[in-house]
Every structure is written in C-alpha cells, then in structure tokens.
Amino acid sequence: MSREQRAAIDAMLRQPRSDEPRSVEEMRAWFRTMMAEMIVPDGIRTTATTLGPRPALLVEPVDGPRAGTILYFHGGAYVFGSPRTALSLTGNLVARTGFRALSLDYRLAPEHPYPAAIEDALAAYRALLDSGEDPSAIAFAGDSAGGGLTVTTCLAARDAGLPMPAAIVAFSPGLDATRTGESMDTKAGLDPFFTRESLGRTGAMYLAGQDPHQPMLSPAVLADLTGLPPMLLQAGTNEVLLDDSTRLAARARAAGVDAVLDVTADVPHVFQAFAGVLEEADEALDRAALFLGQRVRTTGAPTGSHGARSARTRP
C-alpha cells in the first residue's frame, strides 16, 4: 500500500474551495480542469464519432484493437463531465485489455434531467446491437454516475427485451438517489470529494422533482436485479457512496448474479483516475482488465464501425 501517495492525493483533493454553491458552468469548468490533470496512457488513439443519436469518443489501441467493445459512461453526477474528462479511465482500460471503447456523450442535467441519460445509454447499446455487434462481445463500464448507468442501462435493456452485455465494470458507482447508505454519514469526514449537501444539489438537478424511490434512480435498494450480467464493483473506503456498491453487490448475489465487490482501503471516489500516480489505481485497473478479459467472448477482430460513425481521428 502506498501511504505517501494516498496521503498526497487526499491533501490535494482537500485544498480549500469556496463553500458557495457554484453555477452549472462553473462546476463543469472545474471538473474539466481537474480531470485534465489525469494521466492518459500512451499507445491509444481517439476518434470523434456518433453512437445512436449522440456524440461519442472512440478510444482504441494505435496498433488496432482486438475483438471486443467497452461501452463507457463517464462520471460527473449527471451534471458535468464528458468522454474527454474520462479519457484517463477509458484509455487505461483500452491499453490494458486491447479492446476498443466507445465513450458516450449522453445528455446532462439540469438541461436534460432523468431519464435522459438512461435513454441515451440504452439507445447507444441498441445501436451497437443493431449494427451486428454480438452482446457477448460488449461490456459496460463507467465511473460514478456513469457507474450507475452501467446498471440502470442493463435494467432498461432487460425490460426492453434486449440481450444482456457480457459484463459490467463500475468504478465508485452512484446507485442510490435516496442517499440512505450508512456510509453517507460514517464516511462523511473521510470523503474529500462529496458531502450529503453537495450530492443533494446535483441530485436535485438530475431528479427535477422526481421521487428518488424508484428502481432506476436507486437500484442499490429498489431494483430487481435478476438476469443482470456478471459485475465488478470497485470502490474506496474513503467515500460516502461506498454503501451504494456494498448493497448492490449483496442484492445482486441474492438475485443469482455474479458480483465481485472490490474495495480498496484509504482511497477516494474514482481513485482509478489517478493511474500513474497511485499504485492502487493501477492495480485496480489491472483487476478490472482481467475481469473484462475473462468475460468478453470474442473471435477475430472488430469489423466495420459497429454503429459508430467517425467524424475525425486524433492520434
């Protein structure tokens, strides 16, 4: 365990910030600036594309991908973030697995509240299937709010009669809009990112008056998880959302779903983004890549664009 690395990251994340509520544009600018500091691995290329009705970012190895697709959903409380802010995560998954990733630019609140993000994610998955992609060659992955989308998109796909993808990988997923997990209180002083109040502000933008006691808003406590694919849930002990993962894993297993709960001590929310700086981040990404490699069933190499239309390539 890298105590010095963890302490340095915790101190950086605790640098004083204004307690005044920020505008949506200020939050989005702050998040872009923070995530621009994360290390993106070498050996990948990105291409602006579309997937279904939405923009997306294709991330693939420069020497060509092996067969298999990661449909990635970025984090940002459904209010901020983009495929670019998640590039350290998608890039590292691509570099470690050899699969390509399609990172979806889904609509954000408050302009587009619930269920816009789920609708966009489902449309993206449907576009991959309609283009001939085998569901056994597709995995969902995401962080934070995007980690929540990996689960709710599977629920929406199941309810629509679509086949399940091969696997789910979720980094610090947000899975309970009711905020009833004990970690919301027991981890409050340890979490350098979130407070109940800050989550309440962005949560209200996404909910737009909806009751959070709905399966698609709080799957960790309310959804029927029957039939979901194998899932890997990674979280850190220093985050108020920890119990979102622990409760979902327990309820998934009770529903007959293979669920691996992977908790790392003394690390913050979406610690995997600190790959290249934090040893635990690289180790967690290695475990995620192993999980994906074991479950994504592929033969040959990807053919065609599989529903993604390229706009420009950027090495």
Side-chain angles (χ1 to χ4, degrees), residues 101-160:
L102 282 158
S103 186
L104 182 68
D105 194 2
Y106 56 87
R107 289 171 293 169
L108 298 176
E111 298 91 341
H112 304 283
Y114 169 82
I118 298 173
E119 291 171 346
D120 290 348
L122 181 62
Y125 182 48
R126 197 185 291 273
L128 284 176
L129 296 177
D130 288 348
S131 68
E133 191 92 357
D134 191 317
S136 68
I138 302 170
F140 291 176
D143 64 283
S144 195
L149 276 176
T150 65
V151 174
T152 54
T153 304
C154 278
L155 294 174
R158 181 197 65 191
D159 294 348

Coordinates of all heavy atoms in Angstrom, one line a residue, residues 101-160:
A101 N -12.9 1.1 -26.9 CA -14.0 1.7 -26.0 C -14.7 2.7 -26.8 O -14.1 3.5 -27.6 CB -13.4 2.3 -24.8
L102 N -16.0 2.8 -26.6 CA -16.9 3.8 -27.1 C -17.5 4.5 -25.9 O -18.2 4.0 -25.2 CB -18.0 3.3 -28.0 CG -17.6 2.9 -29.4 CD1 -18.5 1.9 -30.1 CD2 -17.4 4.2 -30.3
S103 N -17.0 5.8 -25.7 CA -17.4 6.6 -24.6 C -18.5 7.5 -25.0 O -18.3 8.4 -25.9 CB -16.2 7.3 -24.0 OG -16.5 8.0 -22.8
L104 N -19.7 7.4 -24.3 CA -20.9 8.1 -24.8 C -21.0 9.5 -24.2 O -20.8 9.7 -23.0 CB -22.1 7.3 -24.4 CG -23.4 7.8 -24.9 CD1 -23.6 7.8 -26.4 CD2 -24.6 7.1 -24.2
D105 N -21.3 10.5 -25.0 CA -21.6 11.8 -24.6 C -23.1 12.0 -24.4 O -23.8 12.6 -25.2 CB -21.0 12.8 -25.6 CG -21.0 14.3 -25.1 OD1 -21.3 14.5 -23.9 OD2 -20.6 15.2 -25.9
Y106 N -23.6 11.4 -23.3 CA -25.0 11.4 -23.0 C -25.4 12.8 -22.5 O -24.6 13.6 -22.1 CB -25.4 10.4 -22.0 CG -24.7 10.4 -20.7 CD1 -25.1 11.2 -19.6 CD2 -23.5 9.7 -20.4 CE1 -24.5 11.3 -18.4 CE2 -22.8 9.7 -19.2 CZ -23.3 10.5 -18.2 OH -22.7 10.6 -17.0
R107 N -26.7 13.1 -22.6 CA -27.2 14.4 -22.3 C -27.2 14.6 -20.7 O -27.3 13.7 -20.0 CB -28.7 14.6 -22.7 CG -28.9 14.7 -24.2 CD -30.4 14.6 -24.6 NE -30.9 13.3 -24.3 CZ -32.2 13.0 -24.3 NH1 -33.1 13.9 -24.6 NH2 -32.6 11.7 -24.1
L108 N -26.9 15.9 -20.3 CA -26.7 16.2 -18.9 C -27.8 17.0 -18.4 O -28.5 17.8 -19.1 CB -25.4 17.0 -18.8 CG -24.1 16.2 -19.2 CD1 -22.9 17.1 -19.1 CD2 -23.9 15.0 -18.4
A109 N -28.0 16.9 -17.1 CA -28.9 17.8 -16.3 C -28.2 19.1 -15.9 O -26.9 19.1 -16.0 CB -29.4 17.1 -15.0
P110 N -28.8 20.1 -15.6 CA -30.3 20.3 -15.5 C -31.0 20.5 -16.8 O -32.3 20.4 -16.8 CB -30.4 21.5 -14.6 CG -29.2 22.3 -15.0 CD -28.1 21.4 -15.2
E111 N -30.3 20.7 -17.9 CA -31.0 20.9 -19.2 C -31.8 19.6 -19.6 O -32.9 19.7 -20.2 CB -30.0 21.2 -20.3 CG -29.2 22.5 -20.0 CD -27.9 22.3 -19.3 OE1 -27.8 21.2 -18.6 OE2 -27.0 23.2 -19.3
H112 N -31.2 18.5 -19.2 CA -31.9 17.2 -19.6 C -31.8 16.3 -18.4 O -30.9 15.4 -18.2 CB -31.1 16.5 -20.8 CG -31.0 17.4 -22.0 ND1 -32.1 17.6 -22.9 CD2 -30.0 18.2 -22.5 CE1 -31.7 18.5 -23.8 NE2 -30.4 18.8 -23.6
P113 N -32.8 16.4 -17.5 CA -32.8 15.6 -16.3 C -33.2 14.1 -16.6 O -33.5 13.7 -17.7 CB -33.9 16.3 -15.4 CG -34.8 16.9 -16.4 CD -33.9 17.3 -17.6
Y114 N -33.3 13.4 -15.5 CA -33.8 12.0 -15.6 C -35.1 11.9 -16.3 O -36.0 12.7 -16.2 CB -34.0 11.4 -14.1 CG -34.7 10.1 -14.1 CD1 -34.0 8.9 -14.2 CD2 -36.1 10.1 -13.8 CE1 -34.7 7.7 -14.2 CE2 -36.7 8.8 -13.7 CZ -36.0 7.7 -13.9 OH -36.7 6.5 -13.9
P115 N -35.2 10.9 -17.3 CA -34.3 9.8 -17.6 C -33.5 9.9 -18.8 O -33.2 8.9 -19.5 CB -35.3 8.6 -17.7 CG -36.5 9.3 -18.5 CD -36.6 10.7 -17.9
A116 N -33.1 11.2 -19.2 CA -32.4 11.4 -20.4 C -31.1 10.6 -20.6 O -30.9 10.0 -21.6 CB -32.1 12.9 -20.6
A117 N -30.3 10.5 -19.5 CA -29.1 9.8 -19.6 C -29.3 8.3 -19.9 O -28.6 7.7 -20.7 CB -28.3 10.0 -18.3
I118 N -30.3 7.7 -19.2 CA -30.6 6.3 -19.4 C -31.1 6.1 -20.8 O -30.7 5.1 -21.5 CB -31.6 5.8 -18.3 CG1 -31.0 6.0 -16.9 CG2 -32.0 4.4 -18.6 CD1 -32.0 5.7 -15.8
E119 N -31.9 7.0 -21.3 CA -32.5 6.8 -22.7 C -31.3 6.9 -23.7 O -31.3 6.1 -24.6 CB -33.4 8.0 -23.0 CG -34.7 7.9 -22.2 CD -35.6 9.1 -22.3 OE1 -35.1 10.2 -22.8 OE2 -36.8 9.1 -21.9
D120 N -30.3 7.8 -23.5 CA -29.2 7.9 -24.4 C -28.3 6.6 -24.3 O -27.8 6.1 -25.3 CB -28.4 9.1 -24.1 CG -29.1 10.4 -24.5 OD1 -30.1 10.3 -25.1 OD2 -28.6 11.5 -24.0
A121 N -28.1 6.1 -23.1 CA -27.3 4.9 -22.9 C -27.9 3.7 -23.6 O -27.3 2.9 -24.2 CB -27.0 4.7 -21.4
L122 N -29.2 3.6 -23.4 CA -29.9 2.5 -24.0 C -29.9 2.6 -25.5 O -29.7 1.6 -26.2 CB -31.4 2.4 -23.5 CG -32.2 1.3 -24.0 CD1 -31.7 -0.1 -23.6 CD2 -33.7 1.4 -23.6
A123 N -30.1 3.8 -26.0 CA -30.0 4.0 -27.5 C -28.7 3.6 -28.0 O -28.5 3.0 -29.1 CB -30.4 5.4 -27.9
A124 N -27.6 3.9 -27.3 CA -26.3 3.6 -27.7 C -26.1 2.1 -27.8 O -25.5 1.5 -28.7 CB -25.2 4.2 -26.8
Y125 N -26.5 1.4 -26.7 CA -26.4 -0.1 -26.7 C -27.2 -0.7 -27.9 O -26.8 -1.6 -28.6 CB -26.9 -0.6 -25.4 CG -26.8 -2.1 -25.2 CD1 -25.6 -2.8 -25.6 CD2 -27.8 -2.8 -24.7 CE1 -25.5 -4.1 -25.4 CE2 -27.7 -4.2 -24.6 CZ -26.6 -4.9 -24.9 OH -26.5 -6.2 -24.7
R126 N -28.4 -0.2 -28.1 CA -29.3 -0.7 -29.2 C -28.6 -0.5 -30.5 O -28.6 -1.3 -31.4 CB -30.6 0.0 -29.1 CG -31.7 -0.7 -29.9 CD -33.0 0.1 -29.9 NE -33.6 0.2 -28.7 CZ -34.5 -0.7 -28.2 NH1 -34.8 -1.8 -28.9 NH2 -35.1 -0.5 -27.0
A127 N -27.9 0.7 -30.7 CA -27.2 0.9 -31.9 C -26.1 -0.1 -32.2 O -25.9 -0.5 -33.3 CB -26.6 2.4 -31.9
L128 N -25.4 -0.5 -31.1 CA -24.3 -1.5 -31.3 C -24.9 -2.8 -31.7 O -24.4 -3.5 -32.6 CB -23.6 -1.6 -30.0 CG -22.5 -0.5 -29.6 CD1 -22.0 -0.8 -28.2 CD2 -21.4 -0.5 -30.6
L129 N -26.0 -3.2 -31.0 CA -26.7 -4.5 -31.3 C -27.3 -4.4 -32.8 O -27.1 -5.4 -33.5 CB -27.8 -4.7 -30.3 CG -27.4 -5.0 -28.9 CD1 -28.6 -5.1 -28.0 CD2 -26.4 -6.1 -28.7
D130 N -27.9 -3.3 -33.1 CA -28.5 -3.2 -34.5 C -27.5 -3.3 -35.6 O -27.8 -3.7 -36.7 CB -29.3 -1.9 -34.6 CG -30.6 -2.0 -33.8 OD1 -31.0 -3.0 -33.3 OD2 -31.2 -0.9 -33.6
S131 N -26.2 -2.9 -35.3 CA -25.2 -2.9 -36.3 C -24.5 -4.3 -36.4 O -23.6 -4.5 -37.2 CB -24.1 -1.9 -35.9 OG -23.4 -2.3 -34.8
G132 N -25.0 -5.3 -35.6 CA -24.5 -6.6 -35.7 C -23.5 -7.0 -34.6 O -23.0 -8.1 -34.6
E133 N -23.2 -6.1 -33.7 CA -22.3 -6.5 -32.6 C -22.9 -7.6 -31.7 O -24.1 -7.5 -31.3 CB -22.0 -5.2 -31.7 CG -20.9 -5.4 -30.8 CD -19.5 -5.0 -31.3 OE1 -19.5 -4.6 -32.5 OE2 -18.6 -5.0 -30.6
D134 N -22.2 -8.6 -31.4 CA -22.6 -9.6 -30.5 C -22.6 -9.1 -29.1 O -21.6 -8.6 -28.6 CB -21.7 -10.8 -30.6 CG -22.3 -12.1 -30.0 OD1 -22.8 -12.0 -28.9 OD2 -22.1 -13.2 -30.6
P135 N -23.7 -9.3 -28.3 CA -23.7 -8.8 -26.9 C -22.7 -9.5 -26.1 O -22.2 -8.9 -25.1 CB -25.2 -9.2 -26.4 CG -25.7 -10.2 -27.4 CD -25.0 -9.9 -28.7
S136 N -22.3 -10.7 -26.4 CA -21.2 -11.4 -25.6 C -19.8 -10.7 -25.8 O -18.9 -11.0 -25.1 CB -21.1 -12.8 -26.0 OG -20.7 -13.0 -27.3
A137 N -19.7 -9.8 -26.8 CA -18.5 -9.1 -27.1 C -18.5 -7.7 -26.6 O -17.6 -6.9 -26.8 CB -18.2 -9.1 -28.6
I138 N -19.6 -7.3 -25.8 CA -19.8 -6.0 -25.3 C -19.8 -6.0 -23.8 O -20.4 -6.8 -23.2 CB -21.1 -5.3 -25.8 CG1 -21.2 -5.3 -27.3 CG2 -21.3 -3.9 -25.2 CD1 -22.6 -4.9 -27.9
A139 N -19.1 -5.1 -23.2 CA -19.1 -4.8 -21.8 C -19.5 -3.4 -21.5 O -19.0 -2.5 -22.2 CB -17.8 -5.2 -21.1
F140 N -20.2 -3.2 -20.4 CA -20.5 -1.8 -20.0 C -19.4 -1.5 -18.9 O -19.2 -2.3 -18.0 CB -21.8 -1.7 -19.3 CG -23.0 -1.8 -20.3 CD1 -24.3 -1.8 -19.8 CD2 -22.8 -1.9 -21.7 CE1 -25.4 -1.9 -20.7 CE2 -23.9 -2.0 -22.5 CZ -25.2 -2.0 -22.0
A141 N -18.9 -0.2 -18.9 CA -18.1 0.3 -17.9 C -18.4 1.7 -17.6 O -18.8 2.4 -18.6 CB -16.6 0.1 -18.2
G142 N -18.1 2.2 -16.4 CA -18.4 3.6 -16.1 C -17.9 3.9 -14.7 O -17.6 3.1 -13.9
D143 N -17.9 5.2 -14.5 CA -17.4 5.7 -13.2 C -18.5 6.7 -12.6 O -19.1 7.4 -13.3 CB -16.1 6.4 -13.3 CG -16.1 7.7 -14.1 OD1 -16.1 7.6 -15.4 OD2 -16.1 8.8 -13.6
S144 N -18.6 6.6 -11.3 CA -19.5 7.5 -10.5 C -20.9 7.4 -11.1 O -21.5 6.4 -11.1 CB -18.9 8.9 -10.5 OG -19.6 9.7 -9.6
A145 N -21.5 8.6 -11.6 CA -22.8 8.5 -12.2 C -22.8 7.5 -13.4 O -23.8 6.8 -13.6 CB -23.2 9.9 -12.7
G146 N -21.7 7.5 -14.1 CA -21.6 6.6 -15.2 C -21.6 5.1 -14.8 O -22.0 4.2 -15.5
G147 N -21.0 4.9 -13.6 CA -21.1 3.6 -13.0 C -22.5 3.2 -12.7 O -22.9 2.0 -12.9
G148 N -23.3 4.1 -12.2 CA -24.7 3.9 -12.0 C -25.4 3.6 -13.4 O -26.3 2.7 -13.4
L149 N -25.0 4.2 -14.4 CA -25.6 4.0 -15.7 C -25.3 2.6 -16.2 O -26.1 2.0 -17.0 CB -25.1 5.0 -16.8 CG -25.8 6.3 -16.8 CD1 -25.2 7.2 -17.8 CD2 -27.3 6.1 -17.2
T150 N -24.2 2.0 -15.8 CA -23.9 0.6 -16.3 C -25.0 -0.3 -15.8 O -25.4 -1.3 -16.5 CB -22.6 0.1 -15.8 OG1 -22.6 0.0 -14.3 CG2 -21.4 1.0 -16.2
V151 N -25.5 -0.1 -14.6 CA -26.6 -0.9 -14.0 C -27.9 -0.6 -14.5 O -28.7 -1.4 -15.0 CB -26.5 -0.8 -12.5 CG1 -27.7 -1.6 -11.8 CG2 -25.2 -1.3 -11.9
T152 N -28.3 0.7 -14.5 CA -29.6 1.1 -15.0 C -29.8 0.9 -16.5 O -30.9 0.6 -16.9 CB -29.9 2.6 -14.6 OG1 -28.9 3.4 -15.1 CG2 -30.0 2.7 -13.1
T153 N -28.8 1.0 -17.3 CA -28.9 0.7 -18.7 C -29.2 -0.8 -18.9 O -30.0 -1.2 -19.8 CB -27.6 1.1 -19.5 OG1 -27.4 2.5 -19.2 CG2 -27.8 0.9 -20.9
C154 N -28.5 -1.6 -18.1 CA -28.8 -3.1 -18.2 C -30.3 -3.3 -17.8 O -31.0 -4.1 -18.4 CB -27.9 -3.9 -17.3 SG -26.3 -4.2 -18.0
L155 N -30.8 -2.7 -16.7 CA -32.2 -2.8 -16.3 C -33.1 -2.4 -17.4 O -34.1 -3.1 -17.7 CB -32.4 -2.0 -15.1 CG -31.7 -2.4 -13.8 CD1 -32.0 -1.4 -12.7 CD2 -32.2 -3.8 -13.3
A156 N -32.8 -1.3 -18.1 CA -33.6 -0.8 -19.2 C -33.6 -1.7 -20.3 O -34.6 -2.0 -21.0 CB -33.2 0.6 -19.6
A157 N -32.4 -2.3 -20.6 CA -32.3 -3.2 -21.8 C -33.0 -4.5 -21.5 O -33.7 -5.0 -22.4 CB -30.8 -3.5 -22.0
R158 N -32.9 -5.0 -20.3 CA -33.7 -6.2 -19.9 C -35.2 -6.0 -20.0 O -35.9 -6.8 -20.6 CB -33.3 -6.6 -18.5 CG -34.0 -7.8 -18.0 CD -33.9 -7.9 -16.4 NE -34.7 -6.9 -15.8 CZ -34.7 -6.6 -14.5 NH1 -33.9 -7.3 -13.7 NH2 -35.4 -5.6 -14.0
D159 N -35.6 -4.8 -19.5 CA -37.1 -4.5 -19.6 C -37.5 -4.3 -21.0 O -38.7 -4.5 -21.3 CB -37.4 -3.3 -18.8 CG -37.2 -3.6 -17.3 OD1 -37.0 -4.7 -16.9 OD2 -37.1 -2.6 -16.5
A160 N -36.6 -3.9 -21.9 CA -37.0 -3.8 -23.3 C -36.8 -5.1 -24.1 O -37.0 -5.1 -25.3 CB -36.1 -2.7 -23.9

